[in-house]
Amino acid sequence: METEGSLQCSDIGGKAEGSLHCSDIGGNLYLSVLQVEKRLDLVKQVSHSTHKKLTACLQGQQGVEVDKKSKKLPLTTLAQCLIDGAAVLGDDSLLGKMLKLCGETQDQLSQELLLFEVQMEREVIEPLYTLSEVEIPNIQKQRKHLTKLVLDMDSARTRWHQSSKSSTLSIKEQSLGAKADALREELEEAANRVEICRDQLSADMYGFVAKETDYADYFQTLIEVQAEYHRKSLELLQNVLPQIKVHKELWVEKPCFGKPLEDHLSLTSRDIAFPIEACVTMLLDCGLQEEGLFRVAPSASKLKKLKASLDCGVLDVQEYSVDPHAIAGALKSYLRELPEPLMTFHLYNEWIQASNEQDQDKCLQALLLVCEKLPKANSNNFRYLIKFLAKLSEFEDVNKMTAGNIAIVLGPNLLWPQTEGTITDMMTTLSLQIVRIIEPIILHADWFFPGDIEFNITGNYGSPNHTNHNSVYSSLCPDTDRSDHTDHIDHRLEHRRPLSVATDNMMLEFYRKDGRHCSVGTAD
């Protein structure tokens, strides 16, 4: 029948499978719709998973008021903890200042994080939720509805076909004819509903494909929002770093052991390094007549404590005045731990060349020329130290520390090559040359550094001003009388340089047995 044929055409397949892949309106449409249908499920799956993971990345609670969200941020609680800690320590503590500054910074960072999360929720997380939980499910519901309509249409067609066959057998029965007409109308209406639903579903699915660029924008927005958040956070941190450094640089109580001399002097606004002045001034009070000063090992615990107190700028003069060996040990440690020797690396070869002069006068003149090349900071501290060592050698009858002995135990702490060797290497001609440099400078301290010197520059260590009365350069170097007294051996070697009390005493023994003298003009 003509009507039947037209209905079969509008049926578009007539199968009750409930999806667009049943369509036979051309092969191209069939393939593209099928691909879209598959993509719907995949996009829903990916969007749902991404939404879930992004939500887990949020530090604040999702969906609450901004104020409540801010209070729950870990950065907010950290900021409050730091600020509270700063209040406890106070502004007269460097840590207090740092905690306050860092607390304020963390609070600003938490506000940036809050804005970032709110924006990400609004522009990324919520749209992804809508896509995966609303838009795609609506399309899928439409597809299920189409399935039901197709089934209804197939049922109506079956009833109509049966009625049509019955009407041909009983054509005279008017009631059957009326029923067939009603069934035909029902089938036409069902087919119309299927067509409308199919068109709507196709429109929704193609609309989904057309909006894929919009969906992709969600992820571009994610990166843009993150970039802006990190840019602002970095800007905050970069702005606060200089302030932190200023607080640190302006803080007077800084470690000095192992720090470059010029840095320490600059930070403390001093001409003479704090450990050098403190130790020298105390030794002038209590150590000039102490036998074996700089050779006898101090108590390890006392030395450690004194170095720590010098490092933080707190010194109990009364406590250490009874232990000059600890003071001398701290002074040696400070010199030994300088990143560059007091007499500098770049002048090392010139010092050695000057000490190789066999003529006494030429040797002294050569050493003086090198002295004059020392940087100002090094020159000031070297002059200060040499004047003290010359003063110490005046008491050699009591303390057994002649200029030669002082040069042996202290010289390697004042000058060493940039590439250091082993202990054995230190007791070779190279070490002898260092002694040949230091000994004559001590013996002729006032010729190398004319004028009196005030040792207690800052007046903080209880020692009166001292004046070095060593004779000026006017005669030959006196012979150095080496002491044969028993040396205290400390078998622990210094980690940074192979020099220690044990090494000093080994050197002294080496010189004594070898019969060598370090006076200028004496052949090796």
Side-chain angles (χ1 to χ4, degrees), residues 231-247:
R231 185 189 65 77
K232 289 183 177 179
S233 298
L234 178 60
E235 185 178 346
L236 274 172
L237 295 172
Q238 287 177 330
N239 288 338
V240 79
L241 271 176
Q243 300 177 50
I244 289 178
K245 291 178 180 179
V246 167
H247 279 306

Side-chain angles (χ1 to χ4, degrees), residues 435-446:
V435 175
R436 285 170 56 83
I437 296 168
I438 303 300
E439 182 181 6
I441 295 178
I442 295 175
L443 286 171
H444 304 286
D446 286 345

Side-chain angles (χ1 to χ4, degrees), residues 237-264:
L237 295 172
Q238 287 177 330
N239 288 338
V240 79
L241 271 176
Q243 300 177 50
I244 289 178
K245 291 178 180 179
V246 167
H247 279 306
K248 188 177 175 182
E249 289 172 359
L250 293 178
W251 197 254
V252 178
E253 299 169 5
K254 299 179 181 67
C256 49
F257 279 77
K259 304 298 180 182
L261 178 66
E262 288 192 2
D263 289 355
H264 168 63

Side-chain angles (χ1 to χ4, degrees), residues 396-463:
E396 64 181 61
D397 291 341
V398 179
N399 59 34
K400 309 302 181 185
M401 295 303 292
T402 63
N405 285 348
I406 295 172
I408 291 170
V409 297
L410 208 56
N413 299 288
L414 295 171
L415 180 65
W416 60 84
Q418 196 155 9
T419 303
E420 300 175 44
T422 63
I423 296 178
T424 304
D425 296 332
M426 296 300 293
M427 293 196 299
T428 61
T429 305
L430 196 62
S431 296
L432 292 175
Q433 287 177 309
I434 293 177
V435 175
R436 285 170 56 83
I437 296 168
I438 303 300
E439 182 181 6
I441 295 178
I442 295 175
L443 286 171
H444 304 286
D446 286 345
W447 182 77
F448 279 91
F449 304 108
D452 296 337
I453 187 169
E454 182 178 303
F455 289 109
N456 194 5
I457 300 172
T458 56
N460 292 335
Y461 312 109
S463 175

